[in-house]
Amino acid sequence: MAYEHNEIEKKWRAEWAKRGTYRVENDASRPKYYVLDMFPYPSGAGLHVGHPLGYIASDIVARYKRHSGFNVLHPMGYDSFGLPAEQYAIQTGQHPAKTTEVNVARYREQLDNIGFSFDWSREVRTSDPSFYKWTQWIFLQLFDSWYDHEAQKAKPIHTLVVRFGHQGWHHADACALTGDVEEELGAFSADEWKAYDERTKQRILQHFRLAYLSEAWVNWCPALGTVLANDEVKDGVSERGGHPVERKRMPQWSMRITAYAQRLLSGLDTLDWSESIKEAQRNWIGRSEGALVRFKVKSNLTPNPSPEERGTAHFDQDESDSGAISRFRETANPFIWSKLVAHAKEMRHNPTEAENKLWQAIRGNATSGRIRRQHIIDKYIVDFVSLRKQLVIEVDGDIHDLQIEEDALRTLALGEKGFKVIRFRNEEVLSDVSEVKRRIQAELDSRPDFSASADDKTEEEYSSPLPGRGVGGEAIEVFTTRPDTLFGVTFVTLAPEHELVEVITPANRRDEVMAYVTMAKNRSERERMTEVKRVSGVFTGATCIHPFTGQEVPVWVGDYVLGGYGTGAVMAVPGGDQRDWNFATHFNLPIIAVTEGADISKEADERKDATICSEGFLKGLKVPDAIKRAIDELEKRGAGERRINFRLRDAAFGRQRYWGEPIPIYYKDDVPYALPESELPLKLPEVDKFLPTEDGEPPLARAANWNYQGHPLETTTMPGWAGSSWYFLRYMDPKNEGRFASPEAINYWQQVDLYVGGSEHATGHLLYFRFWTKFLHDRGWINFDEPAKKLVNQGMIQGVSRFIFFMGVAINYPDVDNNTVVKLQEEMRRFPVVLVPESLYTQASRLKPTDVPMVRSFLNQMQQLRLERDPNAVGVITSQTLAKTHVDVSFVNPVTGELDISTYKKFVGNTQDVVVLSDGPLICPSEVEKMSKSKLNVVNPDDIISKYGADTLRLYEMFLGPLEQSKPWDTNGIEGTFRFLRKFWNLFHGHGDAFGVTDDAPTKPELKILHATLKKITEDIEKMSFNTSVAQFMIAANELGALKCNKRAVLEPLVIALAPFAPHIAEELWEKLGHTDSVTGAKWPQWDAQHLVEDSFSYPISFNGKTRLQLEFPIGLSKEEVEAQVLANPEVQAKLGGQPPKKVIVVPKRIVNIVV
RNA sequence: GCCCGGGUGGUGAAAUGGUAGACACGAGGGACUUAAAAUCCCUUGGUCCGUAAGGGCUGUGCGGGUUCAAGUCCCGCCCCGGGCACCA
């Protein structure tokens, strides 16, 4: 009876579905094992042979664990929200839900074909409201939490509110929080907190919530129309699609993953994950220890253009300044407010002509609502403002043209504080001030009233965005890992984005500095990376004070300092840091040697085992001691403190996209509030188009009634990683309507025991996955704080691409009229595809195609043919470029590399003919590349299965090599595993005969084969070394075949051992062996060492380590006996040639080595 | 530049410091067959000697070292893949 894989596999797939063989119950009486595959995104392209690699491996482990008595959870589902379905929707109008449905169905069909033991009753999809209800619920928990760094855990936000009511907020607490927002938050007392109104309180709390809304620098991808997380950007372009990405500041939902930086780092040590993934995460988190150092700024500050610069006209002014200044405190950035006040005063005394004219028109009660002028908001001095309506009116002179970007930033910053900005040009005001006034009035009327009463005091409270930090001197904060080199500081460098740049730059340097800043900011990330070596920068004109020496140190701006890392400023130690050295050398700044033995004329000395030699109290100390001493001294002087810095940034969470989970937030007075739990799931609304609105709002803004009790709902959606950060919990209890999973289910299943997936998720999914798990643990929802104990990364299966070379053919025509050109082009379009051999292409640099006789005669022929058809044909046929392109691998003989020209012709179709200019067959060279549709090298598992069966595919994928390793797919080799299955089948069937096994007692050699195989397979599965287990099965089949063994006692255990690898054939043979239950439930056969014991061992006899002959001795022989017998052997004696051996080493049951 | 992997026949690969190349593909030769498919048997790292049986030398990226013995351990390089990166 032949091995009919198609029938067998079809039969058992149906049978498994019917019997519910893989259904799993939460049976607490049995030990559990949780095997999980990384969540697939159901793409339209379907699966190729590379995708199932990990699934097969995890399926083998799952089935093996079942045989070993475990209750195994092995689920599958879909990460079904995502960009591709949405892009497709934008192009075709097809609803992403529909596309997703189709793709999921195809995935399911393909997965089913491979015979996985997934419990499909537990399937989950992230785009299913019953699933994303809980994603939204977890988001609300994050929104409702803050991170207590003393307790090192997340706590409910109300505990923070209580704490504020008791002890307020001291700025000293700020070092406990990381992320980029907290720094702006000033201290307040308990009484102040109690006095704040609701809006202010809410805005303060945003600085602590783990899911929060803030103005942040984001990776904006214009092509995708959305914000991307850091891990979604590679080399300055989007990971998906490769579109350029720019830095942009905008309001943005973020996740405070930075709060967990230390725990995410330390937790790695407890995990059985590959070293490379752990290392990638360590790099990504990027912890560095060092110190924060403050350099006090010494400079005469003019934060805005001076009156002269603005082209001031002197007009009389009448407003008394008394009282006005104190009001600034309310809206001003307290950090720099004293400088701003002085400047505002100056500007008020020196208005421009246009400013003065407008002021005369709108002052007093001329408009509804009082207008102030030259008012300080944050760090800006605005021309005019209505605090009550939060409307800023700016009058721009020519200078505006020079700093459009600056002003845009200013508008954004003011917007963040709740102010709308409208602008008028000088000429508009001067030519028709009443029209300007009318427009201002219209704006005022359309704005809501931000104060309950017109009372000034209340008004100002409302306009105060946040409580101030308190008045203090300006200081540049730098982070350094080498405080020991402080005495080597010769200058300080700020990043171009640093907010102090424009504050500290004196007027006479302003133009130059701002020009540099604008230039540096506009340089894209890409340029900055490719021009790493180029040094650029500018002196600000300001200086600061060295905290130890008290000397003045110049402040520079340089783009080698990154705005996003540390404090965006460095203390430059050119003697100890190569980048500082490069900068100092380029601009001729002084360089001080900081370490003994350094040659600072050539390069900086970055050694960390040196001795400090710069003058000062650190001189003579070793680096580590000097670091300690320096920090102690900084703390003593209040000039700095010990600081641990992380590279990890908070994760951008909002996406300006449709196909994702809606964020369950509504806005009241522009303040975000959590949607009540009872409103979940907040379902994705229907929209007319999946595009942004005309105003650039995300697609959800198109939805009708997108509000909650009249309050607008959030319009951005969650990123792809939201659902995948917790899905492993849902599988434990997928139908639960009252909780994301019941405590019983979570307690039973616990962590994932084995997680299998690609290493490309190292810094994205795997970090968020751990973050959410830790958070849920902190809040008491789960009792473990790492999601997966063991992680295995399967390697990529690469494709073998094939290439063809073709020659462009065109008509070389003289000057002719347009009509003729059109006709000629028409004719050219019908020219054949001309394929040429690789040799012609590689010679192209030395040889013109027309130098090749075959090409020349072909072109001549074509030209003649033309002339026969039309004697008046214009122009001459000529060759053009030679090009290389992918050709579908299915057109190429995989062994010879020969192109099947008739198939290729069919593919090209009837529009064009194909001509091959080659003496012999056309050989297509190959390259190993990523398997992908665009490279035409995709191999579909369905094709393999219909030819060889799923069992063969499963075995072959495992046989290819170690799971973790990447390897190219070569369909040729599959014959070997197919032959093995047939041999295995034939052991039960004689040779092509009916099924027949005997109950005879097995012989010794048969038992030895059986138990050696069981031992190897068991050990290999535990090690996940599947390629060697398949090899062992082959050895067993070959040897048992040679012995013509058809004994039940030998074959039956082997069927069970093979079942995890090739479940279909195993079920069929199991049934034929007389069992009525599934082989899935059979107990794993144990190997017995007694059958592996040998009577004798064939010793390799080596001379100086080189094996020369074999001698067999009984196992029981002692070392000495073996040695004596070996030396007595005539062959050995012959080799020795009469010389006595220097030494003889006998390793029992291994080797004998004779040293001569 | 730093940090992880990895480098073994024509190919995928195997090898607790102990016979390098298991297992499989491919290739070559043979058997069966009218023929093909399928199946089975033999050979297959390189090289040299020999008519043959058989034997010698050499060989795991390169150069050193430790050891009775090194693909495996140590030192120094080269190359490939991946991660991070003007990260202070």
Side-chain angles (χ1 to χ4, degrees):
Chain A
M1 208 179 139
Y3 168 46
E4 299 285 356
H5 59 82
N6 277 327
E7 274 174 41
I8 293 170
E9 295 186 354
K10 212 174 118 195
K11 168 183 162 187
W12 284 102
R13 263 175 234 139
E15 198 64 24
W16 290 329
K18 202 177 93 193
R19 297 189 195 171
T21 307
Y22 303 121
R23 182 70 63 89
V24 186
E25 303 304 328
N26 295 358
D27 176 1
S29 67
R30 293 168 62 204
K32 67 95 191 184
Y33 197 84
Y34 189 175
V35 190
L36 185 61
D37 296 288
M38 281 188 195
F39 226 5
Y41 174 79
S43 84
L47 293 172
H48 63 62
V49 289
H51 293 117
L53 183 72
Y55 303 158
I56 294 169
S58 61
D59 197 54
I60 290 170
V61 174
R63 288 172 179 273
Y64 164 73
K65 288 285 175 185
R66 259 183 225 119
H67 288 298
S68 307
F70 289 91
N71 189 26
V72 177
L73 180 57
H74 186 216
M76 182 49 86
Y78 307 96
D79 189 10
S80 47
F81 272 133
L83 280 180
E86 181 163 358
Q87 291 294 76
Y88 189 73
I90 290 169
Q91 283 157 22
T92 64
Q94 165 113 269
H95 197 286
K98 227 178 201 172
T99 315
T100 304
E101 194 63 45
V102 171
N103 293 349
V104 161
R106 180 161 153 68
Y107 256 63
R108 176 65 192 275
E109 196 188 323
Q110 287 189 298
L111 290 171
D112 278 348
N113 274 341
I114 305 172
F116 292 121
S117 61
F118 297 128
D119 177 0
W120 284 107
S121 72
R122 291 177 185 253
E123 179 195 309
V124 301
R125 298 181 194 184
T126 51
S127 59
D128 188 331
S130 70
F131 181 92
Y132 69 66
K133 171 179 178 178
W134 298 105
T135 310
Q136 291 172 332
W137 179 85
I138 293 170
F139 174 89
L140 290 182
Q141 303 308 307
L142 283 154
F143 180 75
D144 186 50
S145 298
W146 68 292
Y147 198 81
D148 181 343
H149 274 260
E150 273 164 34
Q152 275 293 304
K153 67 185 282 193
K155 290 181 175 172
I157 198 88
H158 64 80
T159 61
L160 184 65
V161 173
V162 169
R163 183 161 150 160
F164 283 162
H166 278 107
Q167 54 196 84
W169 165 252
H170 307 289
H171 198 249
D173 302 344
C175 65
L177 288 172
T178 50
D180 16 35
V181 207
E182 299 78 7
E183 300 306 316
E184 293 169 14
L185 184 65
F188 50 83
S189 68
D191 287 339
E192 280 175 302
W193 168 260
K194 284 178 203 151
Y196 292 144
D197 57 41
E198 172 66 11
R199 182 183 157 92
T200 308
K201 282 181 177 167
Q202 285 300 329
R203 293 177 80 162
I204 290 172
L205 290 178
Q206 279 302 313
H207 291 247
F208 296 88
R209 297 181 185 278
L210 292 184
Y212 64 95
L213 183 67
S214 77
E215 179 112 332
W217 287 100
V218 296
N219 304 303
W220 173 255
C221 179
L224 294 173
T226 189
V227 155
L228 298 171
N230 289 343
D231 62 277
E232 293 167 317
V233 182
K234 291 259 146 78
D235 298 331
V237 297
S238 66
E239 196 182 25
R240 216 161 232 174
H243 307 293
V245 171
E246 49 195 57
R247 301 285 286 167
K248 193 175 166 185
R249 205 167 156 83
M250 58 192 286
Q252 173 66 44
W253 279 98
S254 300
M255 284 285 161
R256 204 177 303 280
I257 188 172
T258 49
Y260 284 87
Q262 185 57 53
R263 281 169 65 191
L264 288 170
L265 190 65
S266 333
L268 288 171
D269 297 334
T270 68
L271 298 175
D272 182 9
W273 289 16
S274 78
E275 205 44 51
S276 63
I277 295 277
K278 291 208 260 187
E279 203 53 35
Q281 293 213 345
R282 287 190 191 109
N283 280 337
W284 192 259
I285 295 166
R287 177 189 153 113
S288 48
E289 289 179 35
L292 191 73
V293 185
R294 280 182 285 275
F295 287 77
K296 287 206 171 117
V297 175
K298 182 184 182 186
S299 164
N300 294 317
L301 299 173
T302 53
N304 263 336
S306 72
E308 288 74 18
E309 287 161 331
R310 292 156 66 239
T312 320
H314 288 264
F315 283 84
D316 66 308
Q317 44 79 41
D318 56 0
E319 192 192 19
S320 152
D321 288 333
S322 61
I325 298 304
S326 64
R327 277 203 305 275
F328 290 159
R329 281 175 183 267
E330 303 296 329
T331 45
N333 180 330
F335 193 58
I336 51 170
W337 86 276
S338 58
K339 297 295 179 291
L340 291 170
V341 167
H343 200 77
K345 253 175 159 177
E346 190 185 348
M347 298 221 292
R348 186 169 303 157
H349 285 283
N350 301 288
T352 64
E353 188 183 347
E355 281 169 15
N356 197 55
K357 189 163 180 184
L358 184 57
W359 176 238
Q360 300 306 330
I362 59 178
R363 60 184 295 194
N365 291 325
T367 56
S368 59
R370 189 167 162 209
I371 304 279
R372 302 169 186 283
R373 66 166 168 164
Q374 301 299 345
H375 199 86
I376 302 169
I377 298 173
D378 190 27
K379 62 186 175 189
Y380 301 103
I381 302 172
V382 303
D383 291 340
F384 304 98
V385 63
S386 160
L387 293 175
R388 191 168 135 189
K389 293 282 188 172
Q390 301 209 345
L391 182 73
V392 169
I393 302 139
E394 302 253 54
V395 180
D396 302 317
D398 294 337
I399 197 161
H400 177 68
D401 296 339
L402 299 174
Q403 54 172 43
I404 285 173
E405 191 182 335
E406 283 301 299
D407 285 343
L409 271 178
R410 176 173 163 134
T411 303
L412 261 174
L414 291 170
E416 188 202 11
K417 305 288 173 200
F419 288 88
K420 178 168 182 182
V421 179
I422 56 173
R423 294 183 176 281
F424 298 97
R425 298 189 63 86
N426 272 343
E427 305 87 85
E428 290 178 275
V429 176
L430 294 173
S431 64
D432 189 356
V433 73
S434 53
E435 167 60 13
V436 170
K437 184 183 167 189
R438 196 194 60 73
R439 278 163 60 190
I440 291 170
Q441 186 62 60
E443 277 295 340
L444 287 170
D445 292 346
S446 70
R447 298 276 295 168
D449 198 328
F450 289 92
S451 62
S453 76
D455 174 57
D456 253 4
K457 202 161 173 245
T458 324
E459 197 176 299
E460 276 155 22
E461 253 179 35
Y462 268 91
S463 61
S464 169
L466 279 174
R469 159 186 272 190
V471 182
E474 305 70 33
I476 296 167
E477 293 191 323
V478 305
F479 173 72
T480 177
T481 54
R482 296 289 304 274
D484 55 308
T485 62
L486 252 161
F487 286 105
V489 172
T490 54
F491 57 101
V492 163
T493 315
L494 303 180
E497 300 92 326
H498 200 287
E499 57 175 17
L500 280 181
V501 171
E502 61 172 313
V503 176
I504 64 170
T505 301
N508 60 349
R509 308 254 338 128
R510 194 178 172 80
D511 289 353
E512 197 185 330
V513 172
M514 292 326 283
Y516 173 74
V517 166
T518 308
M519 188 277 289
K521 277 191 196 163
N522 283 345
R523 272 176 79 197
S524 67
E525 285 281 318
R526 267 228 146 144
E527 283 168 334
R528 280 178 77 154
M529 276 190 292
T530 50
E531 296 173 17
V532 159
K533 297 254 152 52
R534 210 180 76 184
V535 176
S536 79
V538 67
F539 177 48
T540 58
T543 58
C544 58
I545 308 298
H546 191 289
F548 288 165
T549 66
Q551 283 167 351
E552 284 190 32
V553 176
V555 180
W556 285 67
V557 179
D559 69 355
Y560 79 97
V561 180
L562 304 175
Y565 184 73
T567 59
V570 300
M571 56 175 223
V573 186
D577 183 287
Q578 193 56 42
R579 290 153 307 176
D580 295 339
W581 190 91
N582 293 344
F583 195 83
T585 308
H586 188 261
F587 290 108
N588 235 338
L589 294 161
I591 300 173
I592 301 173
V594 286
T595 44
E596 280 177 12
D599 180 5
I600 54 167
S601 63
K602 286 209 197 85
E603 59 181 0
D605 177 17
E606 298 187 340
R607 285 175 302 144
K608 282 170 188 149
D609 53 358
T611 303
I612 300 299
C613 73
S614 46
E615 288 305 322
F617 54 80
L618 298 174
K619 190 172 180 180
L621 293 174
K622 284 278 185 192
V623 169
D625 302 329
I627 289 176
K628 253 187 104 192
R629 176 75 205 281
I631 296 174
D632 291 345
E633 200 65 31
L634 284 169
E635 288 182 342
K636 204 154 80 189
R637 296 172 191 226
E641 58 255 346
R642 180 166 279 103
R643 170 67 73 92
I644 291 161
N645 202 40
F646 292 96
R647 198 183 71 92
L648 185 71
R649 298 291 88 183
D650 278 347
F653 195 73
R655 296 289 181 274
Q656 289 65 19
R657 286 297 196 146
Y658 175 74
W659 193 231
E661 301 87 344
I663 295 177
I665 289 289
Y666 66 93
Y667 293 87
K668 208 159 75 185
D669 288 344
D670 290 336
V671 174
Y673 287 91
L675 208 61
E677 236 179 277
S678 57
E679 295 294 318
L680 300 184
L682 173 62
K683 285 198 188 154
L684 199 52
E686 290 308 315
V687 293
D688 56 342
K689 271 189 228 160
F690 303 104
L691 289 168
T693 66
E694 284 68 27
D695 310 335
E697 294 275 313
L700 290 196
R702 293 175 175 276
N705 303 320
W706 192 237
N707 61 66
Y708 169 68
Q709 295 182 349
H711 302 295
L713 284 162
E714 171 62 44
T715 54
T716 59
T717 51
M718 298 190 199
W721 52 267
S724 60
S725 295
W726 74 279
Y727 75 115
F728 78 107
L729 296 166
R730 189 63 180 169
Y731 283 130
M732 298 175 180
D733 193 8
K735 304 281 193 292
N736 196 322
E737 288 179 8
R739 264 196 68 166
F740 63 90
S742 71
E744 296 75 33
I746 295 167
N747 278 334
Y748 177 57
W749 291 110
Q750 295 275 318
Q751 288 160 287
V752 173
D753 292 285
L754 174 66
Y755 196 32
V756 180
S759 56
E760 67 272 21
H761 299 109
T763 50
H765 161 65
L766 288 173
L767 211 51
Y768 302 127
F769 186 50
R770 297 181 59 218
F771 163 38
W772 281 34
T773 302
K774 286 181 188 299
F775 166 72
L776 290 170
H777 171 258
D778 283 359
R779 290 294 310 270
W781 298 102
I782 57 181
N783 56 356
F784 45 87
D785 88 333
E786 286 286 351
K789 277 196 249 182
K790 183 178 167 71
L791 170 76
V792 171
N793 299 114
Q794 87 270 23
M796 205 170 40
I797 289 196
Q798 295 147 315
V800 178
S801 307
R802 293 286 182 167
F803 296 90
I804 49 169
F805 305 88
F806 61 90
M807 180 177 72
V809 179
I811 302 167
N812 193 359
Y813 50 82
D815 290 340
V816 286
D817 60 81
N818 280 345
N819 279 341
T820 316
V821 170
V822 170
K823 257 196 243 160
L824 288 172
Q825 282 171 346
E826 185 64 28
E827 188 186 348
M828 279 186 250
R829 226 166 283 147
R830 291 192 305 269
F831 280 173
V833 175
V834 183
L835 299 181
V836 296
E838 184 184 12
S839 56
L840 190 62
Y841 175 78
T842 46
Q843 287 168 5
S845 54
R846 286 173 286 128
L847 202 69
K848 274 184 288 186
T850 44
D851 292 343
V852 178
M854 187 188 276
V855 173
R856 208 164 49 225
S857 77
F858 164 73
L859 294 172
N860 286 341
Q861 256 177 35
M862 267 188 84
Q863 176 69 3
Q864 266 172 23
L865 225 67
R866 275 184 88 213
L867 290 173
E868 275 168 30
R869 267 199 305 262
D870 175 10
N872 300 322
V874 189
V876 181
I877 298 230
T878 179
S879 76
Q880 278 188 325
T881 48
L882 294 169
K884 177 183 183 180
T885 187
H886 283 94
V887 63
D888 197 306
V889 283
S890 62
F891 304 161
V892 181
N893 180 319
V895 179
T896 60
E898 204 178 307
L899 180 71
D900 183 339
I901 292 168
S902 63
T903 318
Y904 182 72
K905 275 187 179 163
K906 260 183 245 158
F907 163 74
V908 170
N910 39 23
T911 49
Q912 272 179 301
D913 200 10
V914 176
V915 174
V916 180
L917 295 184
S918 171
D919 294 324
L922 201 66
I923 304 299
C924 303
S926 65
E927 261 174 51
V928 173
E929 296 181 292
K930 200 179 156 187
M931 193 174 278
S932 94
K933 235 180 175 176
S934 63
K935 295 184 166 46
L936 302 176
N937 60 5
V938 170
V939 180
N940 188 327
D942 300 344
D943 298 341
I944 305 285
I945 289 169
S946 66
K947 194 162 173 202
Y948 298 102
D951 285 339
T952 299
L953 175 77
R954 290 170 62 108
L955 279 172
Y956 185 56
E957 294 225 358
M958 291 300 102
F959 186 62
L960 272 175
L963 181 63
E964 275 106 331
Q965 207 164 301
S966 288
K967 54 244 157 185
W969 177 266
D970 176 11
T971 304
N972 285 320
I974 203 168
E975 291 284 348
T977 48
F978 185 59
R979 274 177 211 150
F980 155 70
L981 282 181
R982 214 161 33 202
K983 276 185 211 168
F984 191 79
W985 177 263
N986 287 339
L987 291 175
F988 296 76
H989 291 87
H991 209 78
D993 300 330
F995 180 84
V997 292
T998 71
D999 287 328
D1000 298 348
T1003 63
K1004 215 174 167 195
E1006 286 168 346
L1007 281 174
K1008 192 182 153 195
I1009 295 166
L1010 170 66
H1011 286 273
T1013 303
L1014 293 178
K1015 177 171 192 273
K1016 179 98 176 113
I1017 303 299
T1018 309
E1019 289 171 354
D1020 282 354
I1021 294 178
E1022 298 279 356
K1023 284 193 296 189
M1024 299 193 76
S1025 171
F1026 303 113
N1027 54 330
T1028 51
S1029 22
V1030 176
Q1032 182 61 37
F1033 277 122
M1034 288 174 171
I1035 293 168
N1038 287 343
E1039 292 184 353
L1040 292 174
L1043 294 172
K1044 301 222 183 310
C1045 171
N1046 65 342
K1047 293 165 185 161
R1048 172 185 290 271
V1050 174
L1051 298 182
E1052 198 168 270
L1054 284 179
V1055 168
I1056 304 171
L1058 185 65
F1061 296 82
H1064 307 88
I1065 192 176
E1067 285 281 24
E1068 180 70 13
L1069 292 171
W1070 186 251
E1071 188 184 59
K1072 287 183 175 223
L1073 283 164
H1075 298 277
T1076 50
D1077 56 342
S1078 165
V1079 69
T1080 310
K1083 195 168 176 305
W1084 189 253
Q1086 301 296 309
W1087 54 276
D1088 186 345
Q1090 76 171 39
H1091 298 294
L1092 303 177
V1093 177
E1094 302 271 356
D1095 302 335
S1096 63
F1097 180 76
S1098 176
Y1099 280 90
I1101 311 300
S1102 59
F1103 292 78
N1104 291 338
K1106 283 175 188 157
T1107 309
R1108 281 297 114 96
L1109 60 137
Q1110 305 266 326
L1111 291 175
E1112 187 147 337
F1113 299 113
I1115 256 357
L1117 234 52
S1118 74
K1119 267 189 182 186
E1120 292 71 25
E1121 287 167 318
V1122 171
E1123 183 176 339
Q1125 293 203 27
V1126 166
L1127 289 177
N1129 184 280
E1131 255 186 284
V1132 173
Q1133 282 302 323
K1135 296 266 181 214
L1136 286 171
Q1139 302 277 342
K1142 266 194 197 148
K1143 200 174 176 185
V1144 179
I1145 288 116
V1146 179
V1147 184
K1149 286 201 278 179
R1150 283 232 180 268
I1151 202 166
V1152 175
N1153 192 17
I1154 300 167
V1155 187
V1156 290

